[in-house]
Amino acid sequence: MATTVRHDQRPGLRAHEDSIRLPFAELVSQLRDILGVRAVAYIGGVKSSRSVSTWAEGASTPGETDQQRLRNAFYAASLLRESYDATTVQSWFRGMNPALNDQAPAQVLREGDQMKAARDVITAAKSFAHIG
């Protein structure tokens, strides 16, 4: 007999679902609340916090690659938010991380190969949050 697993029964599943299904504007708005506007702008590849505001309002969107980077950042941030407050999540994204060759997760997401960076950052977030 097959068992249906509800998203609240497996840690991290909700974060994954939300990173995929949320409309981009809502995702950016929530990510901005967790990480702050400067980190979102950095990961999204822009210098201006105004760009982040227009994304959150739905008035514009970045290119597909930057959108995916932000969805990956949201996934990692949401995983961490299940266990930690926003200040801890912000510090984790900005600080050197031994699981990422002492690079900051935000930097890895922005500068790394998109697929490898996402995999590495999400794995590091799961490890930090003790999610198997």
Side-chain angles (χ1 to χ4, degrees):
M1 179 176 182
T3 304
T4 302
V5 177
R6 291 181 22 193
H7 72 280
D8 57 351
Q9 292 176 326
R10 287 189 45 209
L13 188 55
R14 175 74 182 250
H16 179 258
E17 289 173 354
D18 287 349
S19 73
I20 293 169
R21 72 170 178 77
L22 282 177
F24 187 72
E26 185 176 342
L27 179 133
V28 169
S29 180
Q30 289 185 30
L31 187 60
R32 180 180 59 188
D33 290 345
I34 298 169
L35 296 183
V37 68
R38 286 184 180 178
V40 174
Y42 177 76
I43 295 166
V46 295
K47 293 180 182 178
S48 168
S49 60
R50 180 69 192 135
S51 295
V52 175
S53 295
T54 62
W55 299 340
E57 294 163 1
S60 70
T61 57
E64 187 63 35
T65 299
D66 291 325
Q67 283 185 51
Q68 192 57 52
R69 281 190 185 106
L70 291 167
R71 286 192 180 278
N72 294 331
F74 179 85
Y75 180 17
S78 295
L79 284 170
L80 295 171
R81 269 306 268 143
E82 291 179 7
S83 301
Y84 301 102
D85 62 18
T87 301
T88 301
V89 177
Q90 290 168 12
S91 295
W92 186 88
F93 263 85
R94 293 179 181 145
M96 288 178 24
N97 190 310
L100 300 169
N101 295 321
D102 292 329
Q103 292 182 296
Q107 179 184 8
V108 171
L109 286 169
R110 179 176 171 151
E111 297 175 4
D113 170 75
Q114 181 180 330
M115 294 302 290
K116 183 178 181 333
R119 183 175 52 248
D120 292 349
V121 169
I122 291 165
T123 298
K126 286 179 177 180
S127 177
F128 189 77
H130 308 290
I131 297 172

